Amino acid sequence: MAIVPVEKIHIIVHKSVKNEFLRDLQKEGIVHITELEESASKANEELTRINDALNQVSAYKKRNPLSMFFSVKRSMRYETFAQTAESYDYGKTVAELETVKSDKEKSIARLHQVEENITLLSPWVPFKKDIRTLKSFKQTEALPVIIPSNETLEKLSENIENIPYSKEHINTSGSVSYDIYFVKKDQSAQLRAKLIENDCEIVDFKNHTGIPEKLIRLFEKEAEEIKYRIKTLDEKKIGLSKEINNLETTSDLLSNENRKKEVAEALPETARTTSIIGWVLKRHLKRLNALVEKHGFAFYEKIDRDPDERPPVALQNTKFSKPYEMLVKLYSMPDSKEYDPTPFLAVFFPIMFGLCITDAVYGILLIFISLYLWNKVSGDKSLFKILFVGGIFTIFAGAMVGGWLGDLFNYIGFAPLIRFKDSLMLFDPVKQPMAFIGLALGLGFIHMMIGIAIEIVDSLKNREYGQAIFANLTWFLLIPSIGLYFAVFNSSIIAKAILEIVMWFCIVAIIIASHPEGKPHVIDQIVWAFIIWFIWYLVTSTAGKLMQFQYVLQIPRLAYWGLIPLVLFEIMRFKKSKAALGKIAWGFYNLYGISSYLGVLLSYVRLMALGMVTGVIAIAINKIAWMVTDIPVVGVILVIVILIPSHLFNLAINTLGGFIHTMRLQYIEFFGRFYSGGSKPFKPFAFETNYVEIE
């Protein structure tokens, strides 16, 4: 309906009641705080610990499938919410989860190390001696080596034939060979270099001691014990996951406490007082006054806004149109001087959305789906309310064009259903597409004209009378006059004469005065108006003869001589008339803008195109499904299997397409007439929760 009036206020609170006042102010949620100083806000350690604990047990939470797409919160009264969060000893649960996390991380790290040891030792099982013996030689160094292939072994043998060494083969796995090379310590570096050059891996058993086979058995036993330990820790975590609800409630309370603390630190202060500067809705001034009186050591006053300051904007609409505020906010909040377009969205959006789908059964399904989501999803339910109303209009649109799951009634062949469908059907869009195009264009024309009318009202409200009359009212009269002149009153002489006068006035006014820049003398504008009208009449009437067109109102040829004194008058006043010529140049450019109106109008044909697509796809689905009816026994089952998912997919994809294209028509074609937006939304300092919805 309108933009809610707001007042800028300055609250002064004594520091002795600062925390209590901010707590109640946050609970009330009525003040949009603006002037906050920069503060070095620190992360709340306790909140971080709780959120980390929630991340650990989140996998065990029973989740509603809808939570993947929407916000699903637990409803809770504020008193219960505060009592639960304040009485719950979250420290014990968090500490236990931290211990579980630490122990599990250590266990997993040790398990990975043990498994690496098993992998390292497994190929060396045939070596039946203690690994320590490889490091016990005084004059000789033993090098356990992994040789990747036979080709590498042959090449290596050639490269090290000049180095005295001996070799013991331990194991072979495929083409990989596991050997121990023995070489004198003074030639060890030379052999190591050759091994590395030939892509061989020298194994370092590090601190391993013992026979590989026995070591592996010990490591396997340790791995089993670690896995059991990890399993026990997971079971303990599952037990602690029962505390998820309490942890979530505490997290929400602490996050709001933390936000209150951040605001408190950022508020400007003196030695004894704290200042809160912001905005409040006029209708909430009584609540603010009661809050100030409750705390005693507080005071507020209304203050004047800065000259260039733009207040935050809040919208107020009826219960029917309020959900469509969501679409306005998605685009941009209106300027405080602009008209709130929400009521018009509430009328045109569901109508256009319904025309994009045009199937009555799809509309019924949309109603049931939106009602289900409405009851299950937390937070703002505007989207589901929009879909609910859109579903109602989709039923009417579908009945109008005979869309009931496409042409399924014809395939079923049940006579009462067919008669019911035919009794509601106004036209068949497949056989009569022009009727659908005409409906879409007619709706688009009304939509476009309302946009122009809103801009006229906005201009008048802001005392921009020239813009209201010459840049907007002229188009508001000219566009329908052209249609009426050539399509409706083509046989009525009196009506056409009146329309000719209206069109001439509008065209001349657009050329002479539609551009806002420049302030020519009124005399010059009047003279140029007559000059341009004479020229316009002469050019168009001459061109009209070639197309067998003739004005009803005729100007005598002698009247054209009147152009001479008018032109001479302007030549004599050329220095003063230059301002009028500048506006006229821009005026011709503005008149060319009639092509943009035509483009806008044609863009509404998308309503017909989307509606046709939905219907044609539904018909195709039915045709494909009925092709399998002759299959014995399973034919009927196959028909159902094809129909249900296919129609649901058609509903989903065209609901998305219809929603997007309907929004486009509102944002570009409708808002483009009168709307600039750009304001900040009114966002009061209030509770904001992630898990709990406070009733």
PDB file of all heavy atoms in Angstrom, residues 25-51:
ATOM      1  N   LEU A  25      15.907  -3.840  24.020  1.00  0.00           N
ATOM      2  CA  LEU A  25      15.792  -3.239  22.687  1.00  0.00           C
ATOM      3  C   LEU A  25      15.924  -4.310  21.610  1.00  0.00           C
ATOM      4  O   LEU A  25      15.195  -4.295  20.607  1.00  0.00           O
ATOM      5  CB  LEU A  25      16.868  -2.172  22.509  1.00  0.00           C
ATOM      6  CG  LEU A  25      16.762  -1.297  21.248  1.00  0.00           C
ATOM      7  CD1 LEU A  25      15.511  -0.437  21.302  1.00  0.00           C
ATOM      8  CD2 LEU A  25      18.000  -0.421  21.095  1.00  0.00           C
ATOM      9  N   GLN A  26      16.835  -5.239  21.823  1.00  0.00           N
ATOM     10  CA  GLN A  26      17.006  -6.347  20.880  1.00  0.00           C
ATOM     11  C   GLN A  26      15.772  -7.236  20.868  1.00  0.00           C
ATOM     12  O   GLN A  26      15.339  -7.709  19.811  1.00  0.00           O
ATOM     13  CB  GLN A  26      18.247  -7.157  21.257  1.00  0.00           C
ATOM     14  CG  GLN A  26      18.610  -8.242  20.255  1.00  0.00           C
ATOM     15  CD  GLN A  26      19.849  -8.998  20.667  1.00  0.00           C
ATOM     16  OE1 GLN A  26      20.106  -9.210  21.853  1.00  0.00           O
ATOM     17  NE2 GLN A  26      20.639  -9.412  19.697  1.00  0.00           N
ATOM     18  N   LYS A  27      15.193  -7.457  22.034  1.00  0.00           N
ATOM     19  CA  LYS A  27      13.976  -8.283  22.127  1.00  0.00           C
ATOM     20  C   LYS A  27      12.807  -7.617  21.420  1.00  0.00           C
ATOM     21  O   LYS A  27      12.024  -8.284  20.721  1.00  0.00           O
ATOM     22  CB  LYS A  27      13.650  -8.520  23.599  1.00  0.00           C
ATOM     23  CG  LYS A  27      12.444  -9.412  23.827  1.00  0.00           C
ATOM     24  CD  LYS A  27      12.182  -9.610  25.312  1.00  0.00           C
ATOM     25  CE  LYS A  27      10.899 -10.399  25.551  1.00  0.00           C
ATOM     26  NZ  LYS A  27      10.616 -10.570  26.996  1.00  0.00           N
ATOM     27  N   GLU A  28      12.680  -6.288  21.560  1.00  0.00           N
ATOM     28  CA  GLU A  28      11.579  -5.568  20.911  1.00  0.00           C
ATOM     29  C   GLU A  28      11.764  -5.517  19.399  1.00  0.00           C
ATOM     30  O   GLU A  28      10.804  -5.641  18.642  1.00  0.00           O
ATOM     31  CB  GLU A  28      11.488  -4.146  21.473  1.00  0.00           C
ATOM     32  CG  GLU A  28      10.975  -4.053  22.886  1.00  0.00           C
ATOM     33  CD  GLU A  28       9.507  -4.408  22.992  1.00  0.00           C
ATOM     34  OE1 GLU A  28       8.772  -4.191  22.014  1.00  0.00           O
ATOM     35  OE2 GLU A  28       9.080  -4.886  24.047  1.00  0.00           O
ATOM     36  N   GLY A  29      13.005  -5.301  18.940  1.00  0.00           N
ATOM     37  CA  GLY A  29      13.279  -5.265  17.501  1.00  0.00           C
ATOM     38  C   GLY A  29      12.576  -4.133  16.779  1.00  0.00           C
ATOM     39  O   GLY A  29      11.897  -4.362  15.772  1.00  0.00           O
ATOM     40  N   ILE A  30      12.757  -2.902  17.262  1.00  0.00           N
ATOM     41  CA  ILE A  30      12.029  -1.780  16.655  1.00  0.00           C
ATOM     42  C   ILE A  30      12.944  -0.662  16.158  1.00  0.00           C
ATOM     43  O   ILE A  30      12.477   0.241  15.458  1.00  0.00           O
ATOM     44  CB  ILE A  30      11.002  -1.182  17.648  1.00  0.00           C
ATOM     45  CG1 ILE A  30      11.689  -0.741  18.942  1.00  0.00           C
ATOM     46  CG2 ILE A  30       9.882  -2.167  17.922  1.00  0.00           C
ATOM     47  CD1 ILE A  30      10.761  -0.028  19.924  1.00  0.00           C
ATOM     48  N   VAL A  31      14.254  -0.683  16.505  1.00  0.00           N
ATOM     49  CA  VAL A  31      15.146   0.427  16.162  1.00  0.00           C
ATOM     50  C   VAL A  31      16.202  -0.026  15.164  1.00  0.00           C
ATOM     51  O   VAL A  31      16.912  -1.009  15.398  1.00  0.00           O
ATOM     52  CB  VAL A  31      15.830   1.011  17.418  1.00  0.00           C
ATOM     53  CG1 VAL A  31      16.826   2.100  17.026  1.00  0.00           C
ATOM     54  CG2 VAL A  31      14.790   1.573  18.378  1.00  0.00           C
ATOM     55  N   HIS A  32      16.274   0.690  14.052  1.00  0.00           N
ATOM     56  CA  HIS A  32      17.316   0.478  13.042  1.00  0.00           C
ATOM     57  C   HIS A  32      18.491   1.386  13.419  1.00  0.00           C
ATOM     58  O   HIS A  32      18.431   2.601  13.235  1.00  0.00           O
ATOM     59  CB  HIS A  32      16.771   0.832  11.657  1.00  0.00           C
ATOM     60  CG  HIS A  32      17.773   0.736  10.551  1.00  0.00           C
ATOM     61  ND1 HIS A  32      17.751  -0.263   9.610  1.00  0.00           N
ATOM     62  CD2 HIS A  32      18.827   1.531  10.219  1.00  0.00           C
ATOM     63  CE1 HIS A  32      18.739  -0.086   8.759  1.00  0.00           C
ATOM     64  NE2 HIS A  32      19.405   1.002   9.107  1.00  0.00           N
ATOM     65  N   ILE A  33      19.546   0.797  14.002  1.00  0.00           N
ATOM     66  CA  ILE A  33      20.684   1.576  14.483  1.00  0.00           C
ATOM     67  C   ILE A  33      21.612   1.897  13.313  1.00  0.00           C
ATOM     68  O   ILE A  33      21.953   1.023  12.520  1.00  0.00           O
ATOM     69  CB  ILE A  33      21.446   0.807  15.582  1.00  0.00           C
ATOM     70  CG1 ILE A  33      20.505   0.490  16.756  1.00  0.00           C
ATOM     71  CG2 ILE A  33      22.637   1.609  16.083  1.00  0.00           C
ATOM     72  CD1 ILE A  33      21.124  -0.376  17.831  1.00  0.00           C
ATOM     73  N   THR A  34      22.035   3.159  13.227  1.00  0.00           N
ATOM     74  CA  THR A  34      22.846   3.579  12.079  1.00  0.00           C
ATOM     75  C   THR A  34      24.266   3.975  12.451  1.00  0.00           C
ATOM     76  O   THR A  34      25.223   3.453  11.887  1.00  0.00           O
ATOM     77  CB  THR A  34      22.177   4.757  11.352  1.00  0.00           C
ATOM     78  OG1 THR A  34      21.918   5.805  12.289  1.00  0.00           O
ATOM     79  CG2 THR A  34      20.885   4.325  10.698  1.00  0.00           C
ATOM     80  N   GLU A  35      24.421   4.874  13.373  1.00  0.00           N
ATOM     81  CA  GLU A  35      25.743   5.450  13.634  1.00  0.00           C
ATOM     82  C   GLU A  35      26.511   4.596  14.636  1.00  0.00           C
ATOM     83  O   GLU A  35      26.409   4.771  15.852  1.00  0.00           O
ATOM     84  CB  GLU A  35      25.602   6.894  14.122  1.00  0.00           C
ATOM     85  CG  GLU A  35      24.974   7.793  13.060  1.00  0.00           C
ATOM     86  CD  GLU A  35      24.973   9.248  13.475  1.00  0.00           C
ATOM     87  OE1 GLU A  35      25.741   9.623  14.370  1.00  0.00           O
ATOM     88  OE2 GLU A  35      24.176  10.010  12.878  1.00  0.00           O
ATOM     89  N   LEU A  36      27.291   3.651  14.100  1.00  0.00           N
ATOM     90  CA  LEU A  36      28.114   2.765  14.916  1.00  0.00           C
ATOM     91  C   LEU A  36      29.579   3.035  14.617  1.00  0.00           C
ATOM     92  O   LEU A  36      29.971   3.149  13.452  1.00  0.00           O
ATOM     93  CB  LEU A  36      27.784   1.300  14.625  1.00  0.00           C
ATOM     94  CG  LEU A  36      26.368   0.832  14.989  1.00  0.00           C
ATOM     95  CD1 LEU A  36      26.135  -0.576  14.474  1.00  0.00           C
ATOM     96  CD2 LEU A  36      26.145   0.896  16.489  1.00  0.00           C
ATOM     97  N   GLU A  37      30.372   3.129  15.655  1.00  0.00           N
ATOM     98  CA  GLU A  37      31.794   3.344  15.473  1.00  0.00           C
ATOM     99  C   GLU A  37      32.487   2.021  15.177  1.00  0.00           C
ATOM    100  O   GLU A  37      31.969   0.942  15.502  1.00  0.00           O
ATOM    101  CB  GLU A  37      32.396   3.969  16.748  1.00  0.00           C
ATOM    102  CG  GLU A  37      31.816   5.338  17.073  1.00  0.00           C
ATOM    103  CD  GLU A  37      32.360   5.883  18.388  1.00  0.00           C
ATOM    104  OE1 GLU A  37      33.009   5.107  19.118  1.00  0.00           O
ATOM    105  OE2 GLU A  37      32.112   7.065  18.677  1.00  0.00           O
ATOM    106  N   GLU A  38      33.656   2.109  14.547  1.00  0.00           N
ATOM    107  CA  GLU A  38      34.421   0.903  14.276  1.00  0.00           C
ATOM    108  C   GLU A  38      34.954   0.347  15.581  1.00  0.00           C
ATOM    109  O   GLU A  38      35.452   1.078  16.432  1.00  0.00           O
ATOM    110  CB  GLU A  38      35.592   1.201  13.329  1.00  0.00           C
ATOM    111  CG  GLU A  38      35.148   1.524  11.908  1.00  0.00           C
ATOM    112  CD  GLU A  38      36.333   1.643  10.964  1.00  0.00           C
ATOM    113  OE1 GLU A  38      37.454   1.310  11.387  1.00  0.00           O
ATOM    114  OE2 GLU A  38      36.130   2.079   9.818  1.00  0.00           O
ATOM    115  N   SER A  39      34.824  -0.974  15.719  1.00  0.00           N
ATOM    116  CA  SER A  39      35.330  -1.617  16.925  1.00  0.00           C
ATOM    117  C   SER A  39      36.083  -2.872  16.542  1.00  0.00           C
ATOM    118  O   SER A  39      35.723  -3.558  15.577  1.00  0.00           O
ATOM    119  CB  SER A  39      34.186  -1.966  17.878  1.00  0.00           C
ATOM    120  OG  SER A  39      33.302  -2.890  17.266  1.00  0.00           O
ATOM    121  N   ALA A  40      37.111  -3.166  17.293  1.00  0.00           N
ATOM    122  CA  ALA A  40      37.899  -4.380  17.028  1.00  0.00           C
ATOM    123  C   ALA A  40      37.177  -5.562  17.663  1.00  0.00           C
ATOM    124  O   ALA A  40      37.489  -6.007  18.767  1.00  0.00           O
ATOM    125  CB  ALA A  40      39.301  -4.222  17.613  1.00  0.00           C
ATOM    126  N   SER A  41      36.163  -6.042  16.979  1.00  0.00           N
ATOM    127  CA  SER A  41      35.356  -7.137  17.518  1.00  0.00           C
ATOM    128  C   SER A  41      36.156  -8.437  17.518  1.00  0.00           C
ATOM    129  O   SER A  41      36.840  -8.762  16.557  1.00  0.00           O
ATOM    130  CB  SER A  41      34.077  -7.302  16.691  1.00  0.00           C
ATOM    131  OG  SER A  41      34.398  -7.572  15.354  1.00  0.00           O
ATOM    132  N   LYS A  42      36.066  -9.134  18.627  1.00  0.00           N
ATOM    133  CA  LYS A  42      36.768 -10.396  18.776  1.00  0.00           C
ATOM    134  C   LYS A  42      35.767 -11.543  18.691  1.00  0.00           C
ATOM    135  O   LYS A  42      34.622 -11.424  19.110  1.00  0.00           O
ATOM    136  CB  LYS A  42      37.501 -10.445  20.120  1.00  0.00           C
ATOM    137  CG  LYS A  42      38.557  -9.351  20.283  1.00  0.00           C
ATOM    138  CD  LYS A  42      39.203  -9.448  21.660  1.00  0.00           C
ATOM    139  CE  LYS A  42      40.244  -8.344  21.848  1.00  0.00           C
ATOM    140  NZ  LYS A  42      40.856  -8.388  23.200  1.00  0.00           N
ATOM    141  N   ALA A  43      36.229 -12.650  18.155  1.00  0.00           N
ATOM    142  CA  ALA A  43      35.364 -13.818  18.053  1.00  0.00           C
ATOM    143  C   ALA A  43      35.063 -14.342  19.458  1.00  0.00           C
ATOM    144  O   ALA A  43      35.941 -14.403  20.319  1.00  0.00           O
ATOM    145  CB  ALA A  43      36.039 -14.900  17.220  1.00  0.00           C
ATOM    146  N   ASN A  44      33.817 -14.686  19.696  1.00  0.00           N
ATOM    147  CA  ASN A  44      33.410 -15.241  20.978  1.00  0.00           C
ATOM    148  C   ASN A  44      33.919 -16.674  21.078  1.00  0.00           C
ATOM    149  O   ASN A  44      33.511 -17.555  20.327  1.00  0.00           O
ATOM    150  CB  ASN A  44      31.885 -15.198  21.094  1.00  0.00           C
ATOM    151  CG  ASN A  44      31.405 -15.593  22.467  1.00  0.00           C
ATOM    152  OD1 ASN A  44      31.703 -16.675  22.963  1.00  0.00           O
ATOM    153  ND2 ASN A  44      30.649 -14.705  23.082  1.00  0.00           N
ATOM    154  N   GLU A  45      34.825 -16.892  22.034  1.00  0.00           N
ATOM    155  CA  GLU A  45      35.469 -18.206  22.151  1.00  0.00           C
ATOM    156  C   GLU A  45      34.457 -19.297  22.471  1.00  0.00           C
ATOM    157  O   GLU A  45      34.510 -20.388  21.914  1.00  0.00           O
ATOM    158  CB  GLU A  45      36.548 -18.151  23.237  1.00  0.00           C
ATOM    159  CG  GLU A  45      37.355 -19.427  23.355  1.00  0.00           C
ATOM    160  CD  GLU A  45      38.452 -19.329  24.388  1.00  0.00           C
ATOM    161  OE1 GLU A  45      38.776 -18.193  24.800  1.00  0.00           O
ATOM    162  OE2 GLU A  45      38.978 -20.379  24.788  1.00  0.00           O
ATOM    163  N   GLU A  46      33.535 -19.003  23.389  1.00  0.00           N
ATOM    164  CA  GLU A  46      32.544 -20.012  23.770  1.00  0.00           C
ATOM    165  C   GLU A  46      31.623 -20.345  22.595  1.00  0.00           C
ATOM    166  O   GLU A  46      31.273 -21.511  22.385  1.00  0.00           O
ATOM    167  CB  GLU A  46      31.717 -19.511  24.963  1.00  0.00           C
ATOM    168  CG  GLU A  46      32.500 -19.382  26.251  1.00  0.00           C
ATOM    169  CD  GLU A  46      33.101 -20.725  26.668  1.00  0.00           C
ATOM    170  OE1 GLU A  46      32.348 -21.699  26.797  1.00  0.00           O
ATOM    171  OE2 GLU A  46      34.332 -20.793  26.843  1.00  0.00           O
ATOM    172  N   LEU A  47      31.235 -19.312  21.844  1.00  0.00           N
ATOM    173  CA  LEU A  47      30.381 -19.550  20.680  1.00  0.00           C
ATOM    174  C   LEU A  47      31.116 -20.389  19.640  1.00  0.00           C
ATOM    175  O   LEU A  47      30.530 -21.291  19.026  1.00  0.00           O
ATOM    176  CB  LEU A  47      29.941 -18.213  20.074  1.00  0.00           C
ATOM    177  CG  LEU A  47      29.028 -18.267  18.845  1.00  0.00           C
ATOM    178  CD1 LEU A  47      27.722 -18.992  19.168  1.00  0.00           C
ATOM    179  CD2 LEU A  47      28.739 -16.868  18.324  1.00  0.00           C
ATOM    180  N   THR A  48      32.397 -20.113  19.449  1.00  0.00           N
ATOM    181  CA  THR A  48      33.199 -20.895  18.508  1.00  0.00           C
ATOM    182  C   THR A  48      33.265 -22.354  18.938  1.00  0.00           C
ATOM    183  O   THR A  48      33.162 -23.269  18.113  1.00  0.00           O
ATOM    184  CB  THR A  48      34.620 -20.311  18.415  1.00  0.00           C
ATOM    185  OG1 THR A  48      34.536 -18.950  18.002  1.00  0.00           O
ATOM    186  CG2 THR A  48      35.456 -21.084  17.414  1.00  0.00           C
ATOM    187  N   ARG A  49      33.423 -22.593  20.244  1.00  0.00           N
ATOM    188  CA  ARG A  49      33.484 -23.975  20.757  1.00  0.00           C
ATOM    189  C   ARG A  49      32.161 -24.702  20.537  1.00  0.00           C
ATOM    190  O   ARG A  49      32.139 -25.865  20.128  1.00  0.00           O
ATOM    191  CB  ARG A  49      33.833 -23.960  22.241  1.00  0.00           C
ATOM    192  CG  ARG A  49      35.266 -23.523  22.564  1.00  0.00           C
ATOM    193  CD  ARG A  49      35.486 -23.527  24.060  1.00  0.00           C
ATOM    194  NE  ARG A  49      35.365 -24.887  24.604  1.00  0.00           N
ATOM    195  CZ  ARG A  49      35.068 -25.148  25.882  1.00  0.00           C
ATOM    196  NH1 ARG A  49      34.832 -24.153  26.733  1.00  0.00           N
ATOM    197  NH2 ARG A  49      34.989 -26.404  26.289  1.00  0.00           N
ATOM    198  N   ILE A  50      31.045 -24.002  20.792  1.00  0.00           N
ATOM    199  CA  ILE A  50      29.728 -24.633  20.617  1.00  0.00           C
ATOM    200  C   ILE A  50      29.484 -24.964  19.147  1.00  0.00           C
ATOM    201  O   ILE A  50      29.018 -26.058  18.809  1.00  0.00           O
ATOM    202  CB  ILE A  50      28.613 -23.717  21.159  1.00  0.00           C
ATOM    203  CG1 ILE A  50      28.663 -23.662  22.675  1.00  0.00           C
ATOM    204  CG2 ILE A  50      27.240 -24.213  20.707  1.00  0.00           C
ATOM    205  CD1 ILE A  50      27.639 -22.750  23.296  1.00  0.00           C
ATOM    206  N   ASN A  51      29.807 -24.036  18.259  1.00  0.00           N
ATOM    207  CA  ASN A  51      29.597 -24.279  16.827  1.00  0.00           C
ATOM    208  C   ASN A  51      30.484 -25.406  16.316  1.00  0.00           C
ATOM    209  O   ASN A  51      30.079 -26.193  15.454  1.00  0.00           O
ATOM    210  CB  ASN A  51      29.851 -22.996  16.029  1.00  0.00           C
ATOM    211  CG  ASN A  51      28.770 -21.958  16.254  1.00  0.00           C
ATOM    212  OD1 ASN A  51      27.646 -22.295  16.629  1.00  0.00           O
ATOM    213  ND2 ASN A  51      29.088 -20.691  16.042  1.00  0.00           N
TER     214      ASN A  51
END
